[in-house]
Amino acid sequence: MTAFAADKPDLSRTRTTPSSRASIHPAPRLLPWLPLLCTLAASTAMPRSEWNVREFGARGDGQTPDTAAIQKALDSAGSAGGGVVRIPPGRYLTGTLQLRSHITLVLEPGARLVGTTNLDAYAHPAPPSDSPEARWGRWHRGLLIGENIENVTIRGPGVIDGNRVFDPEGEEHMRGPHALVFMHVRGLTLEDLTITDAGNYGLFFMASDDVTLRRVRFVGGWDGVHWRGTPGSPCRRVEIRDCEFETGDDAIAGRYWEQTLITGCSINSSCNGIRLIGPARDLTIRNCHFFGPGRRPHLTSRERRRNNMLAGILLQPGAWDPTEGLLDQVWIVQNTMRNVAAPVALWTRPGNRAGRIVIQSLDATGIYRAPLSLESWAPDPLDTVVLRNVRLEFTGKEPNSPTPETVSQPGVDVRPLPAWGLYARRIRQLSVEGLHLRTREPDPRPAATIESVAHVALDELNLPGPSAGTEVLMLRDCARVSGRDTPATVPAH
């Protein structure tokens, strides 16, 4: 007997003969159990996890409205608890689509969602009731919208095309629907996607946390990404990584941010690269390249479709309307810029304060209008600003610049100042740890003007000689000045 003999079944006991077949398998006795067996089989089947919009009637011919069909697919996936909704290659003409929780919307290669020109086909979510934006209503229309949802992903490599749908009754008598609008969302991811020709912003969201953008390209429209928290509820944990911007208005903008990372991005604009219009805490802008002129025109400029880029980074809390709060823990590190009106500008107004701001390893060339400016126009001075290993090249010859006695409070855009390289006004502590300024053409203004700063610490300050201007460095009303490795031509004021 082999080792397996005891485990081997005795097939002779189950052999069926014509005379015994009926008694061994009495068919009538099994029939009542068949419905139960079918039910058990269905209950153990794998739940559905993917939905194709074509199954719901979407045609993708670029002419037939596919709004209802795509919405059915989204609703079906949402009702099932979530899953993947696929949009195969084609041009899908649509109005507003409402996303659901736990859904991944995939635009496959060659897939393009195209906004309809029928303005009545657009809806909007409700902004936070305690926000100034609550009264705007219709302004928040979008092609894709989400409200009070969580765990949503939109993935390419397809395209969301706003189709330049403008509205003569909209903002500035032309702005239409945004491409994407989200309110009260937790967990939103956009990746490997192109958003083009939005009627207003490419992506706009409010009162939302844990938002991640990876390898998203924004082309045309007004702002690329714009998000806002509220005074009591900032947007937290927003990450914009390895994205590309070619926008007519600000590439990235907003206010009431907390724990924001912008890194590895290519930023081209016919307005500002990054514009902060309110408080923010723990903001890092790292390893980004800012460059002009803009490849897409500034559509609503009073000038004739201008393309020049304004500031690379403009931090101006309270510039548009009162937005009280603190700007603190800002890290601007390892960035490059070329052909911008100003590299970095920081201004505070009444109701706003600034804590610690660090600008490190910035290399900018072709700066054509304003210096790096650090200004408090609020009751409190800026607290601490550190400039470390900063290299700036200016074009020079800016006409009609004000003197320190006549410089006025900033508006909403950068302006000429009483220095061509650095202008600092009302700071508690300014630390310069490697600042290199040069100009292509001689400029009669000082390279740097520092006034009303309690403590100025200068270490490795490299400025051009007196031939580039009447004075190299002007210090006014500074209580304490210390430094080393500064040029001998620096006068004592």
Side-chain angles (χ1 to χ4, degrees), residues 55-133:
E55 300 173 17
F56 295 83
R59 301 183 65 174
D61 59 11
Q63 298 179 354
T64 306
D66 286 320
T67 310
I70 299 174
Q71 190 63 57
K72 285 180 182 178
L74 294 169
D75 292 344
S76 179
S79 298
V84 177
V85 176
R86 292 192 174 276
I87 301 181
R91 290 177 58 87
Y92 298 83
L93 187 65
T94 178
T96 293
L97 298 170
Q98 299 193 34
L99 297 175
R100 308 303 184 192
S101 292
H102 310 296
I103 283 180
T104 296
L105 179 63
V106 177
L107 284 81
E108 296 181 349
R112 195 177 193 98
L113 282 179
V114 181
T116 177
T117 57
N118 178 11
L119 290 170
D120 293 332
Y122 292 92
H124 64 82
S129 58
D130 62 342
S131 68
E133 295 83 0

Side-chain angles (χ1 to χ4, degrees), residues 296-364:
R296 308 287 165 166
H298 190 268
L299 298 176
T300 52
S301 174
R302 293 181 180 178
E303 304 170 32
R304 185 177 178 181
R305 292 293 177 96
R306 66 168 181 81
N307 288 79
N308 58 304
M309 188 168 178
L310 301 184
I313 299 172
L314 179 54
L315 309 175
Q316 50 175 175
W320 295 98
D321 51 12
T323 52
E324 296 185 359
L326 177 65
L327 175 64
D328 193 20
Q329 301 178 49
V330 177
W331 309 88
I332 301 173
V333 182
Q334 294 181 333
N335 297 287
T336 60
M337 300 179 184
R338 60 180 171 86
N339 301 330
V340 295
V344 180
L346 165 60
W347 312 326
T348 57
R349 298 172 185 264
N352 293 103
R353 295 181 297 112
R356 182 174 178 82
I357 315 294
V358 176
I359 304 172
Q360 177 175 321
S361 300
L362 171 62
D363 194 330

Side-chain angles (χ1 to χ4, degrees), residues 289-293 337-341 363-369 391-398 420-421 436-445 447 463-465 467-469:
H289 180 54
F290 302 76
F291 66 99
M337 300 179 184
R338 60 180 171 86
N339 301 330
V340 295
D363 194 330
T365 62
I367 304 166
Y368 65 85
R369 178 174 297 166
R391 297 176 179 273
L392 307 177
E393 179 203 68
F394 296 81
T395 59
K397 287 189 173 180
E398 177 64 36
W420 58 260
H436 306 264
L437 303 178
R438 62 185 182 272
T439 180
R440 294 178 186 173
E441 299 289 340
D443 193 302
R445 295 170 294 172
L463 307 178
S467 61

